[in-house]
Amino acid sequence: MPTIQQLETHQSALRACTACPAMIGPVVTGRPVVSKVMLIGQAPGPKEGAFGRPFAWTAGKTLFKWFAGIGLDEEAFRSRVYMAAVCRCFPGKKPKGGDRVPDEEEIARCARWMAAELAILKPQLIIPVGKLAIGRFVAFKKLTEVIGARHVVDLEGFSADMIPLPHPSGASTWHRTEPGKGLLEEALGRIADHPAWQRLLQSHV
């Protein structure tokens, strides 16, 4: 049975990581929550480091509005769901604007942290948010192939259900126009019906 102490020890080592010289610290991580539901983002934006928590800015407002619609407001979500990411430091800006996408070496170097969290928690439900996060678990070309469905992923010694979500970026219209809007509603419905999510709601009462 995983413990908060295991996660605190893990996160202490994670916060000390300096493996990627082009990444901009500090390391951003969620609370050390023992949970069977795990949310996986892509990488923190420029504001998250100052706040010390993932999805702390504009995209987070949209994301937590989605989850509030299926029973958990932001505070409840952060205290009940383990929040991870493909990369834990801000990648920096692209020369022509927008956030830089982490390169394959940076993703590979950071992968051990998420692998350790998966091994500790053995989640029953994984919610990857955005293309980069979804792509760590399944191969796809278009979001329409994966959003709105439940996928079973085989991990190290266990399997988990995965219900991906689009990135809640304000710059994206995917989740606000069809077919993305309808697929997002299907995905949130599947999360709401999942037994692991239902247990979170019961523990919140």
Side-chain angles (χ1 to χ4, degrees):
M1 185 73 180
T3 64
I4 289 177
Q5 286 75 21
Q6 281 179 286
L7 292 173
E8 287 174 340
T9 299
H10 164 80
Q11 289 190 350
S12 179
L14 168 57
R15 281 190 287 270
C17 181
T18 57
C20 300
M23 290 290 219
I24 300 168
V27 169
V28 176
T29 188
R31 299 176 191 173
V33 179
V34 176
S35 179
K36 287 299 181 183
V37 180
M38 191 165 167
L39 179 129
I40 297 171
Q42 303 191 131
K47 306 283 187 180
E48 272 75 12
F51 285 98
R53 61 184 188 271
F55 285 105
W57 202 240
T58 311
K61 288 183 173 65
T62 300
L63 182 72
F64 291 117
K65 193 180 294 182
W66 294 348
F67 290 130
I70 56 172
L72 289 182
D73 63 20
E74 180 175 349
E75 176 56 30
F77 187 95
R78 290 188 185 277
S79 66
R80 302 284 171 183
V81 176
Y82 191 90
M83 299 181 71
V86 175
C87 290
R88 310 302 171 94
C89 296
F90 176 49
K93 293 288 187 181
K94 292 187 290 189
K96 294 184 179 180
D99 294 350
R100 181 177 71 86
V101 177
D103 64 35
E104 285 301 318
E105 287 187 9
E106 289 165 335
I107 291 169
R109 282 196 291 268
C110 208
R112 65 190 177 103
W113 301 111
M114 185 164 66
E117 290 157 346
L118 288 166
I120 292 169
L121 293 170
K122 292 184 171 53
Q124 294 166 350
L125 174 60
I126 296 170
I127 306 171
V129 179
K131 290 180 181 177
L132 188 65
I134 300 166
R136 304 315 293 166
F137 297 95
V138 291
F140 69 100
K141 291 182 180 178
K142 295 180 179 179
L143 285 176
T144 50
E145 299 170 16
V146 287
I147 305 292
R150 179 179 64 85
H151 311 260
V152 178
V153 291
D154 291 318
L155 301 162
E156 292 285 331
F158 73 103
S159 63
D161 291 332
M162 183 194 74
I163 303 174
L165 294 175
H167 198 277
S169 167
S172 170
T173 60
W174 195 92
H175 57 274
R176 288 180 276 138
T177 56
E178 295 298 351
K181 186 178 179 181
L183 291 172
L184 168 62
E185 289 176 4
E186 283 187 42
L188 291 170
R190 289 183 185 276
I191 291 170
D193 290 339
H194 195 279
W197 185 267
Q198 287 292 315
R199 283 192 289 275
L200 292 186
L201 297 184
Q202 291 159 12
S203 63
H204 178 55
V205 172

